[in-house]
Amino acid sequence: MTRHGLHRITRFRSGPRRKAIAIGVVGGSVVAGIVATMMPLLASDDLSIRAAADTTATAVSQDGDNAAKSTLATCATRCDGNPRGGREAVIEFAVTTVPAAAINVRATLRVHAWQQFAATVTAHASPLSAREARPPLTSAGAALDSVTGVSKGVNEWDISKLVTGNGTWTVSLAQSGLESRIYWASVENRNPDLRPSLVISYDIGTRPSSTTRPTPSPTPSASPTTAAPKPSPTVAPTRTPTPSASTTIPPGKCGAVSDKLVPSCGAWWGMYSPASAGGGWDHGKAVTDVEAQVGRKFDIVHRYHDFSNSGSNGAFPDAYESQQMREGRLMFFAWESRDFSAGTTLKWADVYSGRQDETIDAVAGRIRATGVPVFMGFDHEPEDEPAKGSDAEFVRAWRYVYERFAKAGATNAVWVWTMMGWSGHYSRYAGLYPGDRYVDWVAYDPYNFHVCNGSTVWKSPSTTVSGFYRWLDENGIGAGKPRMLAEFGTNFNSADPGAKQRWFQEFPAALKAHPKIKAAIYFNSPGMTTRTATCDMTMNHDASAVAGFSQAGRDGYLRQPTGGSR
């Protein structure tokens, strides 16, 4: 987690052709991202399938024949003053057109609401019949996805865990957080565009085994000490990288890297190190200086960028990052819907409305032009951004950016969903998750703040990283996806001068005990918190801390033969 708003201060400175298939009423298609290092897959266009039947499950006798109504209803157990007034919308789909050779099936449920509500609505696998007039409420099946905050218009749930191909699939919508009814359009609605639908996409083919990460192809760029290049007015052509023969390792062995940049063994070791005015805003030297201190290159360099689409803040990758990629480092671009220099913040509605399309497309073009896989994030820690909109609006903006990148051919972007991971927001994370098809890595930002945030608790590395890790396991968000510490850090202990050094020395063991974490990036900024005599979160604030961090970086678990450390 972070102290609200503080650590952002320093960041301000700084295949075959697709065949068209259309079934049902929902238009549009989403291009599935396939990075250059994958063997081609034949991607389908989205199948939009109309609901076969729906009804409202309820114990309220006045509800009558719900299977014949033009609306569905959801409500909490206590509903409009009735302690036994709970309702669930039950919807059935008959899927018959997914080919037998389909893989990577993704399914999105879309249901229309007429008003906005401050409620959480969760989609469950349902044992009920959508064809009954008024089926009784029963224990909900497995939870599939949630929206936190119902939007006026179409709301979406990722139900890929339920829909795995052809068959009859029934899902129910259960409501919490609001004791009044929400009405949804049913299959009987006169407007076909409002009726529930299921959007399915898939690939055709066989996904290959993991392959080694390719060496970045040289690209013309300015010297790393010059200003960042101007954005290209057009999308650059794709350049396919060629893996280096010297780093080609048989699939399944340590040193192999998947198309989504997942190392087959161990974890990547990364760094965010901010540039400063005193150093001439040299973002390259900001990293190499720390590398010199710790005696190794970092696998991942993390940078924060804005929507200005100019200078090193917005026209990325800049000259420094291009040089770092040529030298074998992976890049993680954390893209914030702000203008750092102007100090302004966009709303998520500004993003998905189309008003930022020119900027999104320009960035997508430059990412595509790198020709190598790169980590890409959009608005890390959105739970700490109330001014930008609702959780549902964040999800909508994320999906919008993802889809524009896919449309631009920037399929080398590896999407990292980054949350604070704070227990105070556990109830919101399901509603902030864009869905498995839109996310490649799940990340969070754990810190041992100690006295920096007013606490006196000293947390070990394992305790620091375990809370949200365990919550993800228990709640199934991003199940099967690699995890990343997009930011992590620790304070020192003024009462125990060796504590920070030991903390770093113990960190590799904490990663090994949490093997789904495949990357860890230190946030080396004094702007994380207010620096005082008892608070300094930087890794290199004294010699003993540097010694401990250097020892951690020498651990074999963090020495990827394909990364910057080789």
Side-chain angles (χ1 to χ4, degrees):
M1 62 178 273
T2 63
R3 290 185 64 185
H4 296 346
L6 290 177
H7 73 285
R8 295 189 174 82
I9 295 171
T10 58
R11 295 176 190 163
F12 292 177
R13 303 293 310 176
S14 346
R17 183 173 60 86
R18 292 165 60 89
K19 179 180 178 183
I21 304 173
I23 302 175
V25 297
V26 178
S29 65
V30 179
V31 181
I34 306 173
V35 303
T37 53
M38 286 181 58
M39 292 174 61
L41 301 174
L42 175 60
S44 78
D45 273 318
D46 294 348
L47 305 178
S48 182
I49 299 171
R50 191 175 300 173
D54 57 26
T55 191
T56 297
T58 178
V60 182
S61 58
Q62 293 94 322
D63 282 354
D65 185 355
N66 293 327
K69 292 184 176 180
S70 60
T71 58
L72 302 168
T74 58
C75 202
T77 301
R78 181 176 180 85
C79 181
D80 299 325
N82 182 350
R84 290 178 292 181
R87 295 166 174 84
E88 292 185 5
V90 183
I91 309 170
E92 175 189 309
F93 294 93
V95 180
T96 62
T97 51
V98 176
I103 61 173
N104 304 329
V105 176
R106 287 88 64 188
T108 301
L109 171 66
R110 309 183 83 225
V111 188
H112 183 275
W114 284 273
Q115 298 181 52
Q116 182 174 330
F117 294 94
T120 296
V121 179
T122 301
H124 295 264
S126 181
L128 299 174
S129 170
R131 299 175 184 274
E132 289 187 28
R134 197 177 68 247
L137 290 172
T138 187
S139 298
L144 304 171
D145 192 14
S146 297
V147 295
T148 303
V150 173
S151 300
K152 180 179 180 180
V154 173
N155 293 259
E156 295 186 344
W157 294 263
D158 183 344
I159 61 171
S160 305
K161 295 175 187 176
L162 173 67
V163 180
T164 56
N166 292 328
T168 299
W169 309 102
T170 304
V171 62
S172 62
L173 299 181
Q175 176 182 323
S176 61
L178 176 70
E179 296 181 354
S180 297
R181 272 173 284 188
I182 298 176
Y183 289 105
W184 312 82
S186 79
V187 295
E188 283 80 22
N189 193 280
R190 289 182 296 177
N191 185 348
D193 291 339
L194 303 186
R195 297 169 188 168
S197 64
L198 182 64
V199 179
I200 296 180
S201 61
Y202 53 85
D203 302 318
I204 299 293
T206 303
R207 189 177 297 277
S209 318
S210 298
T211 58
T212 55
R213 184 173 63 84
T215 301
S217 301
T219 57
S221 79
S223 163
T225 59
T226 63
K230 296 293 184 181
S232 171
T234 58
V235 175
T238 301
R239 292 183 293 106
T240 303
T242 303
S244 167
S246 64
T247 61
T248 300
I249 298 172
K253 300 291 184 68
C254 288
V257 182
S258 79
D259 60 288
K260 297 300 183 184
L261 298 179
V262 184
S264 55
C265 300
W268 303 117
W269 195 228
M271 176 60 63
Y272 166 73
S273 186
S276 66
W281 300 114
D282 189 331
H283 296 280
K285 192 173 185 296
V287 172
T288 57
D289 281 354
V290 178
E291 290 178 334
Q293 285 184 300
V294 302
R296 61 163 283 178
K297 286 184 179 179
F298 294 108
D299 301 313
I300 302 173
V301 173
H302 198 183
R303 284 273 302 278
Y304 296 84
H305 292 284
D306 66 11
F307 264 62
S308 65
N309 199 29
S310 63
S312 281
N313 281 344
F316 64 95
D318 64 10
Y320 306 107
E321 292 159 329
S322 296
Q323 178 70 21
Q324 288 162 343
M325 285 189 284
R326 286 195 293 273
E327 293 171 349
R329 301 174 188 85
L330 296 170
M331 299 310 303
F332 182 2
F333 304 110
W335 197 18
E336 308 293 302
S337 56
R338 300 174 179 270
D339 186 321
F340 295 165
S341 295
T344 56
T345 299
L346 299 176
K347 293 185 180 296
W348 288 314
D350 295 326
V351 176
Y352 63 69
S353 68
R355 290 191 288 271
Q356 295 296 318
D357 284 359
E358 183 177 354
T359 293
I360 296 170
D361 294 347
V363 172
R366 290 192 297 270
I367 293 298
R368 175 186 172 186
T370 67
V372 294
V374 298
F375 292 112
M376 190 79 198
F378 171 73
D379 271 350
H380 89 299
E381 298 186 354
E383 68 271 52
D384 201 28
E385 299 280 10
K388 291 186 176 182
S390 68
D391 294 353
E393 286 178 306
F394 165 74
V395 168
R396 185 173 176 183
W398 175 289
R399 293 176 177 178
Y400 187 87
V401 171
Y402 177 100
E403 290 170 359
R404 288 206 74 86
F405 266 59
K407 183 178 180 180
T411 54
N412 55 320
V414 177
W415 291 92
V416 183
W417 179 72
T418 304
M419 300 292 110
M420 295 168 67
W422 179 43
S423 60
H425 291 315
Y426 281 178
S427 63
R428 296 176 57 194
Y429 288 128
L432 284 162
Y433 188 61
D436 286 349
R437 65 177 291 190
Y438 299 97
V439 174
D440 299 311
W441 287 62
V442 169
Y444 59 109
D445 298 342
Y447 288 93
N448 173 34
F449 282 118
H450 190 38
V451 299
C452 288
N453 65 351
S455 170
T456 59
V457 175
W458 178 267
K459 297 192 297 183
S460 70
S462 186
T463 299
T464 301
V465 306
S466 65
F468 193 53
Y469 186 101
R470 185 171 57 250
W471 184 91
L472 289 167
D473 283 347
E474 292 170 351
N475 290 272
I477 302 298
K481 297 196 180 288
R483 296 177 190 170
M484 176 188 293
L485 306 183
E487 299 175 6
F488 78 96
T490 182
N491 189 23
F492 69 100
N493 186 346
S494 59
D496 181 358
K500 191 166 188 173
Q501 180 178 10
R502 293 195 303 274
W503 197 95
F504 287 137
Q505 291 168 336
E506 295 165 4
F507 191 77
L511 290 184
K512 294 169 190 175
H514 298 83
K516 296 174 186 177
I517 299 173
K518 307 301 290 182
I521 301 172
Y522 199 83
F523 189 81
N524 197 45
S525 171
M528 163 59 66
T529 53
T530 301
R531 182 183 272 168
T532 69
T534 57
C535 175
D536 190 333
M537 303 290 291
T538 56
M539 169 278 300
N540 47 358
H541 88 279
D542 66 16
S544 67
V546 173
F549 192 88
S550 299
Q551 183 175 337
R554 291 194 296 271
D555 191 285
Y557 198 78
L558 293 165
R559 303 276 310 181
Q560 293 294 330
T562 54
S565 62
R566 66 177 180 272

